[in-house]
Amino acid sequence: QVQLVESGGGSVQSGGSLRLSCLASGFTYSSYCMGWFRQAPGKEREGVASIRGTGMSLYADSVKGRFTISRDNAKSTLYLQMNGLKPEDTAMYYCARVQNCGPVGGWLPLSKMSVAYWGQGTQVTVSS
């Protein structure tokens, strides 16, 4: 069965860095679009970044230039490198297998991407 297991969350001060990892199993990882989503207390879950099997990526405006999504298809692992963290980045971060990233050569907005499978989440807390 499909499993997504996140790791790497923690507590950092504003301006710090963290790297999240997500180990995938139970499907042909390289064939699927993957993504990172987050949910802060009292807020709706939002898309952070998405990446195709080819490595092409899409970012939310709020993290562009600070976060980098990447994948290692040989290791079936998804990463999110987060630099310049801000208190507003505090949230539970979820790895996801995305149902459809969008048409060839284009993207669906992160807010329109449907998710087939979710990981259990990893907490990121940024203090000021």
Side-chain angles (χ1 to χ4, degrees), residues 19-22 29 36 68-72 75 77-81:
R19 188 173 87 149
L20 306 183
S21 299
C22 171
Y29 175 75
W36 287 100
T68 302
I69 190 171
S70 62
R71 63 192 296 162
D72 185 331
K75 295 182 179 179
T77 303
L78 180 71
Y79 301 101
L80 185 68
Q81 177 66 46

Side-chain angles (χ1 to χ4, degrees), residues 4 15 38 45 61 78 102 105:
L4 301 170
R38 66 186 182 186
R45 193 173 297 189
D61 288 343
L78 180 71

Side-chain angles (χ1 to χ4, degrees), residues 100-118:
N100 181 10
C101 273
V104 174
W107 291 92
L108 282 173
L110 286 164
S111 60
K112 299 291 186 184
M113 290 183 184
S114 59
V115 172
Y117 295 94
W118 295 99

Side-chain angles (χ1 to χ4, degrees), residues 89-106:
D89 294 317
T90 294
M92 186 72 79
Y93 283 71
Y94 297 91
C95 169
R97 194 182 94 176
V98 176
Q99 193 79 355
N100 181 10
C101 273
V104 174

